[in-house]
Structures are given as C-alpha cells and as structure tokens.
Amino acid sequence: MITPTQQVSSTRSENPRCIVIVPCYNEEKRFRSHEFLSFAAQHTDILFLLVDDGSRDATARLLDGLAEQCPEQFGVLRLDCNAGKAEAVRQAMRFIWEIRGSREAPAQVCRGVSQEWRQRAQEAAFVGYWDADLATPLDEIIPMRHLLLSSPQVHAVLGSRVRMLGRKIHRRAWRHYLGRVLATLASWAVRLPVYDSQCGAKLFRIDATPEAIWQQPFVSRWLFDLEILSRWRRWMNEKAAAEGKAHAGELPVVEYPVQQWSDVAGSKVTWLSGLRALAEMAVLAWQERRSCRTPGRTMKASGARWCCGFRRVARGAWKLSDVPQRSAFGPNPVLPGDHCHADADAAQHVTGTESEAICAEGSALSMARSRHAHVGLTLVELLVVISIIGLLMGLLLAAVQQARESARRMQCSNNLKQIALALHSYHDVHRVLPVNMGPWPPLTGQVRNPPPLNGKGWTASILPQVEQQALFDQLEPCFRGDFFQGGGLKQPACLPLMQTILPVFHCPSDGSSRQLWTNQYQWEDIPVATHNYKGVIGDTNIGLGFGSVHPGTSDCHMVGGCNGLFFRTTYAEPQSFMLVRDGMSNTFMVGEDVVEQNAHSAVFYSNADYSTTAAPLNFFLDPPDPRNWPNVMSFRSNHPGGANFAMADGSVHFVAETIDHDLYRALSTKNGREPVTFPPP
C-alpha cells in the first residue's frame, strides 16, 4: 500500500500546484479525514491548509493527525479564538502571501506547517478555499483549476450551484429560495451579476490576485465572498485611476456550475444568519454606492489629486511621491505595476500653460467632489431597498414562526408520549387503566353501594408516573368525600392544589391553557388550572338531544358502556387493554383539545378529561363558546393542519384534519371491529 507521503516523493505532477484553504470550527463530527487523504493521494499537486478557527472540540487533533500523516500536502494554521470563516480565510491568505514573499509569519500561527509544505507552497500558482463539510466534493477542484489553466484572462473561479439536468444539486427548498432572493439582492448591492456567491468553493490565480484584498478585516461575516469581489473591483478602479486610465475593465472572475453539491447535516447557517446577511448587504451596498457615486473615491478623484500633485511639482513645492493618497485599503496603498515616481527634473518638462490646464481640471473635479460628497442612495433606490427588506423580513418572520410552531408541536408530541407511557405503567401495576370517579353515578344504576364520587379524574391517578409523586401525596386527602357535598376535590384545602399548572399536561401551542379559568363546569367562579389532553370516549354523540349538530352513536357519557377507553363513570366498569380488539396501534387513547373552546377542561377532574370524535377533527366555534358543551367536547389543536393523538400502543401520531370522518370515528372505538388502518403521515 502506498501512503500519500510515499506517493508525493515518487510522483511528479505536470499541473501547477494549488493550495486549498479549509476553515474548520468544531468539525469533529463532520470532518471526513479519509476523503481528504484519498484525494491527496490521487492529486499530489494539491496542498491543503487546514485552519483551526479556535475549535472547542477535538477538531485540532484531527487536523494535526492529517498533517503528521502527510506533512508535504497538509499544513495546519491555528487561530486562538473563533472569528468566523471570513477571518479564517483572510488570515490563511495573508499567511500564504507571507510565505511567497519570504516573510515570517507568527510562530504560534504556523507551528503546524512543515518546511516541506512551505517550500512546495512557494511554487503554487493557484489558491482557494473550500468548506470543511465537503458539501462541494473535492473532485470539483480539478475542473475549476483546469478553467484557470485554459483561460489566462480569468483570474478567479467561483463555484456556483445551478440545478439542471446532468448535475446533482441537493439543496433544501427553503435554503434554495432564500439563497436566490439573497443572491438577487447581492447582485444589486455590489453591482455584479453574481448568481451564487455562497457555494463555498473558490479558486484564485495567486500572481494576478491583489494582496491588498486580504489586508483589512472583512466588514461582512456571511457575505465576505461578495466583499472580496467588491474590494477587487475598487482596487482595479484605483489602479486604473493611478495609471490615468478611463476604465478599469471587467472583473476577471467567472462562475463555474459545479457538478455536485449537497446539504450536510449540522450546518451553522440559520434564519438568524439570513437576517445578519441582510444587514451586511446593506452595508456593502452603501459602501459600493459611495465609492461609485462620489467623485474622489475612485477614478475621477484620484485623477484630481494626481493633477494637483503635478501642479505643485511644476511649481517646485514637493515631489509627486509626497502627495498623500487615500484608498479603500489604507492611506498609502501599494499597487502592483504602479511605479510612477516623479521628481523635480521630470516636473520641469511641464509648461506653465499645461500646468494651469491641469490645475483647472483638478479644481473642477474637486468642486464636483464637494457637490457630491454626501450622495448615497436615491429616494427610489431607498424605497426599493426598504420594500425588499420588508418583504424578506415578512418571509423570514413567517419561516421563524413556522420553525417555532414545529418545535411546539414536537414538545406537544413528547408530552403525549409521556402521558401514554404513564398510562401503560399504571396499567402494568393495576391491570386496568386509571378510572374516573363520577361525580355522578351512571343513570342505569348498575352499581350497588358506589364509592364516594369525589370527582377524581384519570389525570390525577397518573401523577406518580409523570414524576409528580409529591403533588399526588398532597392531593390524596382530596380523594375522600362526595364532590357535590363539599368533599372530594372541592374541599377548601384542595382548591389551591387545583390551581397547579403542570407543563406535561399543556400543549405549548395553546396559550389559553397556561392560565387559571373561572368558567369551567362545576367550578364556576373558582379559579382552576386546565389541561389540553383528553381521553377518548369513542364516537358517542355527547349532547344528543341537547342541541348537538354532530353525528355519532347514542350518548353514553351519562349511562356508561361507551366504546372508548375513558368516560366519567369508568369506576363502575374499569377499562383495560384486554378490551381493545381493534388493534392497539389502530385505537386512539388520548388526544388534544383547546381550553378556550371547551369549558370541560379543569385539571384532575373526572368530568373534564374526555372528548368524542363525533365532531370532525379541529372543529372550532368562532367566536369561542366554551360552555356550548353538546358541540365542543371534541378534539382540536392550534397546530396547523391537525392534532396529535396517543394510540393505545403508546405511539404518538399527528392526525391531519382532512382525515375521513368515518375513519376518524372508527379509530376512536376499542372494539368496533372496523377493518381500518391508521393513515400514514
């Protein structure tokens, strides 16, 4: 087996060397060392400069391992603290220019770079940077380098994600559309027709790329790729102005549609990143318009200053090299190819007439500069920017709200899962499900000498199973006495406990359940806590004969014998999983409700912990009428499109509100013997 190190010494490449910078921050779990080693073994003319951007995990050890295994092709640059991808790339670029200029870099930065790597880097013709997650495969380096080799007029190649036939571009929809909007705005901001600046794959021709681009820290953290192009163009404008040229020419940069790109899990790009990018884009647009529209910041102003400099030289005031120059990159820029040195001897050839003409031109340009020194965006452009940013903010806020709702729905699902497991745990101990204690006896009178109907509901019985043993112990004295005679849960000492709000019984999407209510049935004018999760009584038409508008079987909630697992008189006929003949995975056990729609929601209370499927899922009254009990004791949620249900087997499913009503009713019965299957999500 030939290691990458052996292959380097035994193989000479005909292609010019290329340095690829890979910024890394906490990439321990995503960094694919084997792919880097395999690629390096096949392409010995590619050098990698791995930048540890202050990682807090084991990323540094991974990078050091690569450098030790193949020191000729892998170097490690260490930054003390995390400053972002933009600064990591800039520091690496400066390091490479220092190596090529035989300048010494700080020892603490370059201690992971071998002497062999430095010697080979001095001969490199191209340099670029690549995302560490390899969303763009390393194989794309080869065609991008070939494009630079075959096109001498091209000095930089930017990878671009263009989804079309023959290319494998796998990108999440929201990132694609948000990226297209940002790319359109970015093109307007820097006045360059850039299709995609965020691909994470860039290559530059070292000798033709101005070092001044990397001298100052980037203003933008997320859009520094665009800032590179903006700086490059300003550098070209200043150089053209210094050489007396009217135009700087086109930016020698092209975009290359990569063959393959895919989203990688663990991306650090979030919606907040999009908001930051918008702010940074506004800064870039402002800088671009100031440099382009304010004479004196680019070509014209530079020409004016040079003209005034010549006039002073003609008069013997000072040399041209003494004229103070201003630039986007510092007070005294060093422009490659600009070796114009004037002295007094050269200035003597300028005649008085020519001097006065030059001065007049310089004065006119200075006046133009003073007139336009504060010109920024026009009113129309400002309105367009504000409207676009407003539109994007609306889209982003909607997306953020959607993400938050998704998290709330997941938390609701977790709550139902905890309740389902608690019910199974209770059933394992008692061989039956927790029962409801009235507070009315069944009208059929089949129970002789009934126990005191204290109003205890099944939610109170599972408190120990949801890690609320202390609360259960405090409630235990409330399980004595008759509810309607001032005993049971209505004992004065129990009323403060009825105000206990437990997160496990509340859906995060229903804000109405996180407050005390005084309109609950049998608890009028008494503030009590409520809950969102109700047991399934079946498809009985609660309120039949009392104004119910829903279909369903005859009302059983007052007489018993219901075809679901929970109703208010289960103390008289306890339910168990042995009675579920329709399949545990095809039978609803607990579902969601919205408190402000249903006044039968008092926590721990036996007449407020069940609902029916006789009404369609997500049946809402507008405006809410929570005391219209014949029509509102059903299942609903504030989640868009449906509600969560816990099945008898303990699983939790999100049921779409578009579910067929007959199927919905069949899933709520325990032994209806309907040949149904739970619909896929």
Side-chain angles (χ1 to χ4, degrees):
M1 178 179 178
I2 300 177
T3 65
T5 304
Q6 294 170 335
Q7 194 163 356
V8 167
S9 59
S10 62
T11 306
R12 289 187 60 86
S13 174
E14 298 179 358
N15 292 321
R17 289 197 176 101
C18 177
I19 304 173
V20 177
I21 298 166
V22 183
C24 305
Y25 175 67
N26 291 347
E27 297 287 350
E28 175 188 6
K29 297 181 180 179
R30 298 197 306 168
F31 195 81
R32 290 173 269 178
S33 302
H34 62 283
E35 293 192 24
F36 281 93
L37 286 172
S38 176
F39 182 83
Q42 298 174 20
H43 304 280
T44 59
D45 47 15
I46 306 293
L47 309 181
F48 290 95
L49 182 59
L50 310 174
V51 185
D52 177 20
D53 189 19
S55 299
R56 298 189 183 94
D57 57 5
T59 300
R61 290 199 299 270
L62 286 175
L63 305 185
D64 289 339
L66 282 177
E68 292 174 2
Q69 189 169 352
C70 186
E72 290 84 356
Q73 285 185 264
F74 290 93
V76 178
L77 206 63
R78 293 188 178 89
L79 303 182
D80 292 334
C81 59
N82 174 247
K85 177 182 174 182
E87 183 62 16
V89 170
R90 189 183 76 87
Q91 292 288 357
M93 288 291 187
R94 292 186 64 189
F95 174 70
I96 291 171
W97 255 266
E98 287 166 353
I99 289 179
R100 291 177 57 81
S102 299
R103 290 173 282 178
E104 291 296 329
Q108 69 272 17
V109 172
C110 59
R111 58 176 178 253
V113 179
S114 67
Q115 189 62 33
E116 296 89 345
W117 191 95
R118 294 192 191 194
Q119 292 175 355
R120 302 185 74 215
Q122 290 178 351
E123 303 171 2
F126 309 115
V127 64
Y129 54 91
W130 222 259
D131 283 346
D133 59 6
L134 297 186
T136 306
L138 292 172
D139 291 335
E140 297 290 348
I141 297 175
I142 306 306
M144 291 175 65
R145 181 179 63 174
H146 178 73
L147 182 56
L148 287 172
L149 283 172
S150 60
S151 305
Q153 74 279 9
V154 176
H155 296 168
V157 179
L158 315 181
S160 181
R161 297 162 291 187
V162 183
R163 188 173 184 179
M164 52 187 179
L165 294 176
R167 285 179 167 81
K168 299 178 181 179
I169 308 297
H170 302 290
R171 196 177 182 189
R172 279 172 286 184
W174 71 266
R175 291 191 64 176
H176 170 73
Y177 292 115
L178 179 61
R180 294 310 317 131
V181 173
L182 290 177
T184 302
L185 287 176
S187 300
W188 168 84
V190 299
R191 298 190 176 186
L192 287 172
V194 182
Y195 181 83
D196 181 12
S197 65
Q198 304 299 305
C199 179
K202 311 286 189 296
L203 283 185
F204 302 88
R205 195 185 302 274
I206 295 180
D207 292 336
T209 304
E211 182 182 359
I213 291 177
W214 319 107
Q215 293 302 316
Q216 301 296 327
F218 292 107
V219 174
S220 171
R221 184 185 180 102
W222 297 98
L223 301 177
F224 76 98
D225 311 81
L226 290 174
E227 193 171 350
I228 289 173
L229 301 181
S230 179
R231 289 185 177 193
W232 196 339
R233 185 168 59 181
R234 276 187 283 165
W235 178 89
M236 291 175 60
N237 290 339
E238 291 188 4
K239 184 174 184 295
E243 295 175 349
K245 297 180 180 179
H247 301 285
E250 295 293 331
L251 198 64
V253 179
V254 298
E255 291 188 85
Y256 166 75
V258 297
Q259 295 291 329
Q260 186 174 347
W261 192 95
S262 58
D263 270 320
V264 179
S267 173
K268 301 176 179 65
V269 178
T270 63
W271 291 106
L272 184 58
S273 305
L275 293 176
R276 289 177 177 173
L278 283 176
E280 294 172 355
M281 193 181 303
V283 174
L284 291 179
W286 180 258
Q287 289 183 344
E288 186 68 20
R289 272 140 183 81
R290 289 191 68 187
S291 65
C292 292
R293 302 176 69 175
T294 303
R297 289 194 175 268
T298 54
M299 293 185 294
K300 291 185 178 180
S302 182
R305 289 193 295 272
W306 282 85
C307 290
C308 292
F310 267 111
R311 181 190 176 191
R312 294 179 182 269
V313 169
R315 295 181 177 180
W318 58 58
K319 295 181 181 179
L320 184 62
S321 57
D322 294 331
V323 179
Q325 299 294 311
R326 297 190 60 178
S327 164
F329 308 107
N332 293 298
V334 179
L335 303 178
D338 180 16
H339 305 292
C340 182
H341 299 286
D343 52 21
D345 295 334
Q348 291 176 358
H349 295 285
V350 181
T351 66
T353 304
E354 293 171 335
S355 175
E356 295 299 327
I358 292 173
C359 180
E361 182 182 358
S363 300
L365 290 172
S366 298
M367 292 175 62
R369 177 182 179 181
S370 65
R371 287 197 304 268
H372 299 282
H374 300 288
V375 175
L377 298 174
T378 65
L379 179 60
V380 174
E381 288 177 334
L382 183 61
L383 292 175
V384 170
V385 170
I386 292 175
S387 62
I388 292 177
I389 291 178
L391 176 62
L392 285 176
M393 288 293 291
L395 294 174
L396 286 173
L397 289 175
V400 169
Q401 182 64 28
Q402 183 179 4
R404 289 179 176 176
E405 170 54 33
S406 178
R408 288 192 290 262
R409 193 177 100 178
M410 182 63 68
Q411 180 60 48
C412 177
S413 175
N414 290 339
N415 290 345
L416 273 172
K417 184 69 174 180
Q418 293 299 318
I419 292 172
L421 292 176
L423 288 169
H424 273 265
S425 178
Y426 185 97
H427 187 277
D428 290 343
V429 174
H430 300 280
R431 302 301 178 188
V432 292
L433 290 169
V435 299
N436 281 349
M437 301 299 296
W440 290 276
L443 297 183
T444 54
Q446 71 266 37
V447 180
R448 296 181 180 179
N449 301 319
L453 301 181
N454 51 47
K456 182 183 76 168
W458 64 265
T459 54
S461 299
I462 65 169
L463 285 174
Q465 284 74 29
V466 293
E467 300 183 350
Q468 294 294 330
Q469 181 68 52
L471 178 60
F472 181 82
D473 293 341
Q474 295 180 38
L475 277 170
E476 198 163 15
C478 305
F479 303 152
R480 306 186 186 101
D482 188 274
F483 181 86
F484 288 114
Q485 295 180 6
L489 293 180
K490 270 204 170 179
Q491 298 177 45
C494 300
L495 298 184
L497 298 176
M498 291 297 295
Q499 300 177 8
T500 306
I501 298 177
L502 296 178
V504 71
F505 291 140
H506 296 278
C507 173
S509 294
D510 183 15
S512 65
S513 66
R514 293 190 292 273
Q515 63 188 36
L516 302 180
W517 289 79
T518 58
N519 68 338
Q520 299 296 295
Y521 275 100
Q522 290 86 55
W523 298 89
E524 288 81 356
D525 300 324
I526 301 176
V528 293
T530 55
H531 65 127
N532 288 109
Y533 305 116
K534 311 293 181 65
V536 180
I537 194 175
D539 66 343
T540 182
N541 188 344
I542 298 177
L544 185 65
F546 292 90
S548 173
V549 297
H550 306 303
T553 58
S554 59
D555 188 1
C556 70
H557 87 284
M558 294 186 291
V559 298
C562 299
N563 57 10
L565 290 172
F566 294 97
F567 42 96
R568 75 185 186 192
T569 58
T570 50
Y571 74 92
E573 40 186 328
Q575 303 293 301
S576 73
F577 291 135
M578 292 289 294
L579 301 176
V580 180
R581 303 297 178 85
D582 290 348
M584 300 274 283
S585 61
N586 293 323
T587 302
F588 290 147
M589 183 166 61
V590 182
E592 289 189 74
D593 194 5
V594 176
V595 170
E596 69 176 358
Q597 289 280 328
N598 184 2
H600 282 87
S601 298
V603 70
F604 310 141
Y605 180 46
S606 59
N607 196 36
D609 58 7
Y610 59 90
S611 284
T612 179
T613 60
L617 180 59
N618 277 1
F619 176 80
F620 283 84
L621 290 181
D622 188 18
D625 187 6
R627 295 183 66 83
N628 184 0
W629 65 268
N631 291 303
V632 299
M633 293 186 69
S634 59
F635 295 99
R636 60 186 64 81
S637 82
N638 286 332
H639 307 307
N644 288 310
F645 279 85
M647 313 302 289
D649 65 351
S651 63
V652 178
H653 298 277
F654 185 78
V655 180
E657 62 186 18
T658 56
I659 186 173
D660 179 77
H661 195 199
D662 290 337
L663 173 60
Y664 177 56
R665 291 172 55 191
L667 288 169
S668 69
T669 62
K670 60 180 181 284
N671 56 0
R673 303 187 183 277
E674 305 95 342
V676 298
T677 303
F678 189 83

